[in-house]
């Protein structure tokens, strides 16, 4: 009973991030497939998934194809009632569904003026009045959810839910563009920046390089505002401490060094995602 998730480039595809989080965060079984969103192969990659024409796309274990993020969210919540995708309390669940729907259909200025960018931050971005209005609406919704239903923890309804899945890219946009929000909203943004799953998603995205970089701006770059990664680098030679990859268990073929130690992985992707942010990967840190 495994789902198939089709996603775009992790550094830029905010909707793909939502699709991935709604499976990964709730421990639902899936296989991921990367679609050529920026390489020009997306139409061919989605040819067998009609009526899909955008990402993410979810194929259920029975072969049903879902091409919209809310459809995916509601289908998963229906199929896995014990997974906790929505809050258990009826009032909290109603508000969470409302927040999800508004994120799905709204915030056009924030999306359009501040494209998803996880490679680095931008310095000196000046938000226009429509973006400021979207930020004010975010503040209102986030504060309302936390005031009514927070049961402890950093998330909108106490425990992580689909509401946090849908607002994660908005929080990351605030971080990338250093947008002006209250301290309470900044704390919610920080929760996403420190979320191991967000760190893993970003690290996987950093394994891909682009020339030119999509969504370039005439602004100075600044370091990514999330936790600073441990220093590591890929190497071509050396002897790994481990014989098998910490993720797959397969024999090691690719190497990295960290703190004077050499570790091995079964392929370049496993190595490079680890180099990008070693502490984001519990299986690797257990090996360390």
């Amino acid at each position: 009973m495994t789902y198939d998730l089709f996603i775009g480039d992790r550094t830029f595809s905010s909707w793909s991030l939502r699709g991935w989080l709604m499976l990964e965060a709730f421990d639902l079984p899936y296989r991921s497939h990367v679609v050529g969103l920026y390489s020009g192969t997306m139409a061919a990659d989605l040819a067998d998934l009609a009526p899909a024409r955008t990402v993410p796309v979810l194929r259920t274990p029975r072969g049903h194809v879902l091409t919209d993020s809310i459809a995916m969210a509601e289908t998963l919540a229906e199929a896995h009632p014990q997974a906790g995708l929505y809050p258990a309390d009826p009032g909290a669940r109603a508000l969470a569904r409302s927040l999800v729907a508004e994120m799905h259909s709204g915030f056009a200025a924030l999306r359009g003026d501040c494209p998803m960018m996880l490679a680095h931050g931008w310095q000196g971005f000046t938000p226009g009045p429509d973006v400021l209005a979207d930020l004010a609406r975010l503040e209102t919704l986030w504060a309302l959810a936390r005031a009514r239903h927070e049961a402890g923890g950093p998330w909108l309804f106490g425990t992580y839910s689909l509401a946090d899945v849908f607002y994660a890219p908005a929080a990351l946009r605030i971080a990338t563009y250093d947008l002006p929000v209250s301290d309470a909203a900044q704390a919610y943004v920080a929760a996403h920046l420190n979320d191991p799953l967000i760190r893993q998603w970003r690290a996987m995205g950093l394994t891909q390089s682009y020339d030119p970089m999509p969504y370039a701006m005439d602004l100075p770059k600044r370091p990514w505002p999330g936790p600073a990664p441990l220093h590591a680098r890929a190497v071509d030679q050396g002897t790994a401490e481990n014989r098998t990859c910490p993720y797959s268990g397969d024999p090691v073929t690719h190497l990295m060094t960290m703190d004077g130690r050499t570790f091995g992985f079964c392929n370049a992707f496993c190595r490079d995602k680890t180099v990008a942010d070693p502490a984001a990967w519990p299986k690797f840190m257990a090996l360390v």
Side-chain angles (χ1 to χ4, degrees):
M1 295 292 290
T2 300
Y3 293 91
D4 284 285
L5 177 69
F6 298 81
I7 59 174
D9 301 62
R10 295 178 178 92
T11 301
F12 313 107
S13 181
S14 59
W15 289 107
S16 293
L17 171 58
R18 292 180 177 98
W20 182 76
L21 284 172
M22 66 179 73
L23 291 160
E24 184 71 26
F26 300 99
D27 199 26
L28 303 180
Y30 73 97
R31 294 177 292 260
S32 60
H33 311 270
V34 178
V35 170
L37 185 58
Y38 293 94
S39 64
T41 65
M42 185 166 72
D45 295 338
L46 298 179
D48 294 331
L49 296 166
R53 60 177 183 175
T54 59
V55 287
V57 179
L58 185 68
R59 185 167 59 207
T60 72
R62 293 188 175 186
H64 304 150
V65 175
L66 299 159
T67 64
D68 180 272
S69 295
I70 280 192
M72 292 169 56
E74 294 296 332
T75 297
L76 292 173
E78 179 184 38
H80 304 278
Q82 304 307 315
L85 280 82
Y86 276 121
D89 175 77
R93 188 163 62 251
L95 182 57
R97 276 196 162 104
S98 296
L99 264 62
V100 165
E102 184 163 344
M103 182 71 253
H104 184 267
S105 62
F107 303 99
L110 179 63
R111 294 182 194 173
D113 291 5
C114 304
M116 176 95 149
M117 165 57 76
L118 302 185
H120 53 75
W122 292 113
Q123 181 177 328
F125 179 81
T126 302
D130 291 340
V131 172
L132 293 175
D134 278 352
L135 294 174
R137 181 60 178 170
L138 285 176
E139 295 252 18
T140 297
L141 295 176
W142 294 354
L144 178 64
R146 293 171 70 91
R148 281 190 185 174
H149 300 289
E150 184 177 7
W155 306 114
L156 293 177
F157 293 90
T159 56
Y160 194 87
S161 74
L162 283 171
D164 301 298
V165 167
F166 272 72
Y167 283 88
L172 296 177
R173 282 175 162 95
I174 290 171
T176 298
Y177 295 88
D178 195 20
L179 300 176
V181 294
S182 67
D183 290 345
Q186 284 288 5
Y188 182 61
V189 171
H192 285 286
L193 289 173
N194 287 280
D195 182 1
L197 295 185
I198 295 294
R199 293 178 65 177
Q200 290 173 16
W201 176 268
R202 179 173 179 269
M204 289 188 287
L206 292 176
T207 65
Q208 178 72 37
S209 60
Y210 300 87
D211 186 18
M213 178 73 83
Y215 306 117
M217 290 193 166
D218 188 20
L219 292 171
K221 298 177 183 178
R222 63 186 181 95
W224 177 248
L230 301 173
H231 179 69
R233 64 187 181 91
V235 294
D236 294 327
Q237 296 181 340
T239 301
E241 298 182 13
N242 55 306
R243 293 186 176 183
T244 60
C245 178
Y247 308 116
S248 68
D250 294 335
V252 303
T253 55
H254 291 70
L255 305 175
M256 64 165 269
T257 61
M258 186 178 78
D259 292 334
R261 300 168 65 184
T262 302
F263 302 96
F265 305 87
C266 66
N267 56 47
F269 180 72
C270 286
R271 178 198 62 194
D272 293 346
K273 73 178 186 182
T274 309
V275 168
D277 192 351
W281 305 98
K283 289 182 179 180
F284 173 70
M285 293 307 295
L287 173 64
V288 172

